[in-house]
Amino acid sequence: MMRAMEIYEHPTFRMACQQFDLVADHLQMPEPERDRVKYPKRALTVALPIHRDDGSTKVFTGYRVQHHLTLGPTKGGLRFHPDVTLGEVAALAMWMSWKCGLMGLPYGGAKGGVTCDPGKLSKTELERVTRRYTQEMIPFIGPQVDVMAPDLGTNEQVMAWMMDTYSVHVGATVPSIVTGKPVGLGGSLGRKEATGRGVGYLVNRATDTIGLDISKATAAIQGFGNVGSVAALSLARYGVKVVAVTDAVGGIYNPKGLDLWGLNKHVASARTVAGFPEAEPITNEQLLVLPCDILVPAALERQITAENAAKLQCRIIAEAANGPTTPEADVILNQRPEVFIIPDVLCNAGGVVVSYFEWVQDLQSFFWGETEVVDKLFRILETAFTQVITSSRKQKLSMRVAALTIGIKRVQEAKRIRGLFP
Ligand code: NAD
């Protein structure tokens, strides 16, 4: 068993396994059952040759990992980033399983990725990578098998190309093959905003819980893509002053608060927050330890580590990114009860919840208004937040272990009830 799983060797996969083991110990899960619940069901690696615009050929590597198929199709994002590896994708697929379990969605987790830098590809090259990846994935995906969505480095346009490639193959339009599509192609109203909006909702609930006046709070946000930028606006609507933002290129800081509308305009043309007027430059390292009430990691994994965890000066960590806090950092933060963590599987779940709504709408060809989407989203997040905080307090568990326990238990129970074939 262990030998086979060595293909996933990667610090992020090890981190996901460590988190799982903590919960399995807490649940006193028997050893053979652990392996069955923990390890991904299947994985595919593909070579993606494409024509570059200059006429040359380049081969990229693509991955897809489906963690479990016990509760329905698998669901999870597609990432385009230079550091994508099979092990990272496998860890992200595991987290998707626990997230879907926690939210009560009829899905297993999955994740995909292509090792490429989308910023260095032309639009036509990006389209060729996307279409070739989708073509290679055809034996592995389907609306009842595995449904993809945007993640780091991918967006609505990428989902539209995927849906088109799959539909051309099938010979009929199949919107339910991906979520996070443009609304005009069967996407859901409120999907693009869902993850960041959910972050805002849950931060508001967290401030209630710890007795912090949200209208006087400040926030620092790492990552200003889909999730970070919407989270910033959503927090601002609750009265939060966003004082610092970083992205892959640079960062900005203004203790008086950043003008978010101006910043969005700047990013639309400059493609980075760096260089925004009326702010000082700031690095990622500085942002993470900045005095502020709410810290929102919304970029990459393993940003809050044993090196900086003791130095954080925030009251709330809202994990908009997947896996931003290492298990070593968790040990330190568990000794700092003044820091309230909204763990990733809860904090960024708004995205998959509205992806689920999109899939349901596509299967029924019956579309909802945005108010209905947002109302249903907030109800599901509210239930999950209440379950996690109640379990954390009653059983004296960290918010992370409480959240993961609910998600993992659901998968464990489904596997037990279905039995083992043959
Ligand atoms: P995105 O590609 O739209 O934006 C990513 C942002 O992170 C960009 O601003 C980029 O410049 C920045 N970034 C990249 N490397 C960085 C670095 N080293 N330091 C600082 N900033 C860096 O991606 P996204 O969809 O906003 O996803 C962000 C995170 O949220 C990821 O962890 C993703 O898995 C998670 N997430 C996304 C969704 C979703 O619906 N898109 C849902 C759940 C979780």
Side-chain angles (χ1 to χ4, degrees), residues 210-232:
I210 64 167
L212 181 77
D213 180 353
I214 193 164
S215 68
K216 297 200 174 79
T218 55
I221 304 180
Q222 184 194 40
F224 203 69
N226 173 284
V227 178
S229 65
V230 178

Side-chain angles (χ1 to χ4, degrees), residues 29 43 55 70-71 73 128 159 326-327 369 378:
M29 204 184 281
T70 310
L71 282 160
R128 279 181 224 126
M159 293 304 115
T326 65
F378 287 173

Side-chain angles (χ1 to χ4, degrees), residues 75-110:
K75 187 86 195 73
L78 172 64
R79 173 172 292 199
F80 286 179
H81 191 274
D83 297 336
V84 163
T85 64
L86 180 64
E88 182 195 52
V89 169
L92 290 161
M94 280 170 80
W95 287 325
M96 276 305 290
S97 283
W98 320 142
K99 195 184 302 177
C100 292
L102 173 62
M103 295 294 131
L105 307 180
Y107 291 138

Side-chain angles (χ1 to χ4, degrees), residues 77 79-81 83 92 96 99 111 118 149-155 191-196 221-229 245-250 267 271-273 284 297-301 303 319-324 344 347-352 355:
R79 173 172 292 199
F80 286 179
H81 191 274
D83 297 336
L92 290 161
M96 276 305 290
K99 195 184 302 177
K111 206 77 180 190
D151 190 70
L152 202 77
T154 58
N155 55 23
R191 170 60 185 90
K192 197 165 61 180
E193 299 80 9
T195 311
I221 304 180
Q222 184 194 40
F224 203 69
N226 173 284
V227 178
S229 65
V245 174
T246 53
D247 65 19
V249 179
V267 171
R271 296 178 73 183
T272 170
V273 298
N284 264 322
L300 301 168
E301 299 93 57
Q303 298 299 302
E319 294 186 340
N322 287 302
D344 50 4
C347 191
N348 67 37
V352 70
S355 272

